[in-house]
Amino acid sequence: MDSPLTGSTQINYLTMTTEDGIIKGGRSTSWACKIHPVFNLFTSIVCVTLTCSAMFMFFEVSPGSELSSVVLLVALSWACGKVAGMLYLPPLLGMLLAGLVLRNTGHYTVDVHSNRFQPYIINLREVALAVLLIASGLSLDASMLRKLRFVVFQLAILPCITETVAAAVVTHYLFGLPWIWGILLGCILSPVSSAVILPALLDFKQRGLGEDKGIITLVMAACSFDDIFCISAFGVCLSIIFSQGSWETNAMQGPMEIAIGIGIGLILGVAVGFVPHKCEQNLTVKRMYLLTVSGVLLTFGSKMIEYPGAGPLAIMTAAFVAAIFWKKTNSFSENVEIMSNNLWDFLEPLLFA
């Protein structure tokens, strides 16, 4: 249970140290602590085995069923991601290989069209993306973002324009596509994948890399604006090709998504910054719950109003603003950030496996 943040000593539960570097809960220099990834992997295997056994006992999930295939995919991809991390490889690589092997060896026999669990898997992927954006928003540095605000827009827009123009030129002279179709293809190829870039940046932040010069904050902020810019350009090209509405209306979608995302994110961030109060019990759990549920609602709500880029931007903005208010009231705790990272670690296989 979290105690109220009223000047008590904060403990980093990843390293089990206080702000003064005092180790809590035993010696960290023993040989067992040096090979803790092995124990972590063993414990994870035991937990997965017990979970599968419990599902078989209570839900009659037999081997070869659709649900067992989904559980096997998620569990094995998560384990392969951990093994890849121990080998100093991206966990994403291990998860992709696990999904590739299971699908092509016949152990993952789920039919996408007839699987009744497929809608839930898709929704959980949206939840995983929302958690990732929350963790990214909590990791942003306000002072660095203020200093690098112009560089953020340059990093978000200039590479996107360059890649789009290059794709249009290559497809026009190599494949004979019309210019507008080449630009449309460039808008599809040029956006960055936040789900791939942000986990690596979070890992760098945990290791203390790139924080002095604001590299992590710069790239995280640029990812959101890059996607919104590409969505807006794609809508303009699509309207010109198929005459679906005026191109002026589609061109305004990008600025509208930015305005809606930042506006809603500011309101939500201020609200979460004050509610719950810093003297409440279970403060970390309440803050994480409010951010996560609000982020999921924003993700699905932005798609319902046909502004899909506004949701992710609002989530990251809300987490960023909430962290600023927590710091101003001396109630900021790394436990929220740690909890969001742990939750993302659990949901990551749903995106990549």
Side-chain angles (χ1 to χ4, degrees):
M1 180 181 295
D2 297 329
S3 58
L5 295 175
T6 55
S8 58
T9 302
Q10 299 297 317
I11 300 176
N12 187 336
Y13 291 97
L14 284 179
T15 59
M16 295 306 295
T17 58
T18 63
E19 296 175 348
D20 300 328
I22 302 175
I23 299 175
K24 298 290 183 180
R27 298 174 59 188
S28 62
T29 57
S30 63
W31 66 271
C33 294
K34 294 180 181 179
I35 59 172
H36 71 278
V38 177
F39 293 109
N40 186 22
L41 180 62
F42 175 75
T43 305
S44 302
I45 294 175
V46 172
C47 292
V48 170
T49 304
L50 292 177
T51 301
C52 295
S53 302
M55 293 181 65
F56 177 77
M57 295 293 294
F58 290 100
F59 302 104
E60 297 182 357
V61 180
S62 60
S65 62
E66 291 183 345
L67 184 57
S68 64
S69 297
V70 174
V71 173
L72 177 63
L73 174 65
V74 174
L76 185 61
S77 61
W78 186 84
C80 290
K82 292 298 181 183
V83 172
M86 294 172 60
L87 298 176
Y88 300 99
L89 296 173
L92 168 63
L93 178 61
M95 296 177 186
L96 290 175
L97 290 177
L100 181 65
V101 171
L102 288 179
R103 185 66 176 181
N104 290 276
T105 55
H107 292 87
Y108 184 74
T109 58
V110 175
D111 187 0
V112 177
H113 301 287
S114 62
N115 182 19
R116 64 180 185 274
F117 300 106
Q118 191 67 22
Y120 302 104
I121 296 175
I122 295 175
N123 292 337
L124 285 175
R125 287 175 178 172
E126 298 293 341
V127 174
L129 183 59
V131 172
L132 174 61
L133 293 171
I134 290 172
S136 302
L138 294 173
S139 302
L140 292 176
D141 189 342
S143 60
M144 284 295 178
L145 186 60
R146 190 183 306 110
K147 184 186 302 183
L148 301 172
R149 58 185 181 275
F150 296 110
V151 184
V152 168
F153 288 100
Q154 294 174 9
L155 183 61
I157 296 176
L158 293 181
C160 182
I161 295 177
T162 304
E163 294 174 16
T164 302
V165 172
V169 171
V170 171
T171 54
H172 178 74
Y173 290 104
L174 190 61
F175 300 107
L177 289 179
W179 285 106
I180 188 64
W181 281 95
I183 296 175
L184 184 70
L185 179 61
C187 294
I188 298 174
L189 297 176
S190 58
V192 299
S193 177
S194 300
V196 176
I197 294 177
L198 294 181
L201 295 175
L202 292 175
D203 181 60
F204 290 158
K205 185 179 186 301
Q206 291 178 356
R207 291 188 287 173
L209 302 176
E211 293 190 73
D212 295 338
K213 297 183 179 180
I215 297 176
I216 295 176
T217 299
L218 173 64
V219 178
M220 282 184 177
C223 284
S224 300
F225 292 105
D226 179 273
D227 293 336
I228 293 175
F229 178 78
C230 291
I231 292 173
S232 178
F234 180 83
V236 172
C237 295
L238 206 62
S239 65
I240 295 175
I241 294 174
F242 297 103
S243 299
Q244 296 178 350
S246 62
W247 68 270
E248 295 90 348
T249 303
N250 289 285
M252 287 300 297
Q253 182 174 358
M256 286 293 295
E257 287 182 342
I258 294 176
I260 294 174
I262 294 179
I264 296 178
L266 287 174
I267 296 173
L268 178 61
V270 172
V272 178
F274 288 102
V275 180
H277 193 267
K278 65 179 182 179
C279 294
E280 294 186 24
Q281 298 288 335
N282 299 317
L283 187 60
T284 299
V285 177
K286 291 178 180 178
R287 284 176 170 175
M288 188 61 203
Y289 178 80
L290 290 177
L291 284 175
T292 303
V293 176
S294 301
V296 173
L297 294 177
L298 288 174
T299 301
F300 290 102
S302 62
K303 293 183 178 180
M304 292 177 61
I305 63 175
E306 298 183 353
Y307 287 99
L313 182 59
I315 296 171
M316 186 176 291
T317 304
F320 173 63
V321 173
I324 292 177
F325 274 86
W326 296 339
K327 292 176 182 178
K328 287 184 177 295
T329 57
N330 295 323
S331 63
F332 179 78
S333 175
E334 292 183 353
N335 294 340
V336 180
E337 189 174 344
I338 293 172
M339 184 177 292
S340 63
N341 291 335
N342 292 336
L343 187 57
W344 160 248
D345 183 67
F346 175 75
L347 296 173
E348 186 177 6
L350 295 173
L351 278 178
F352 301 124

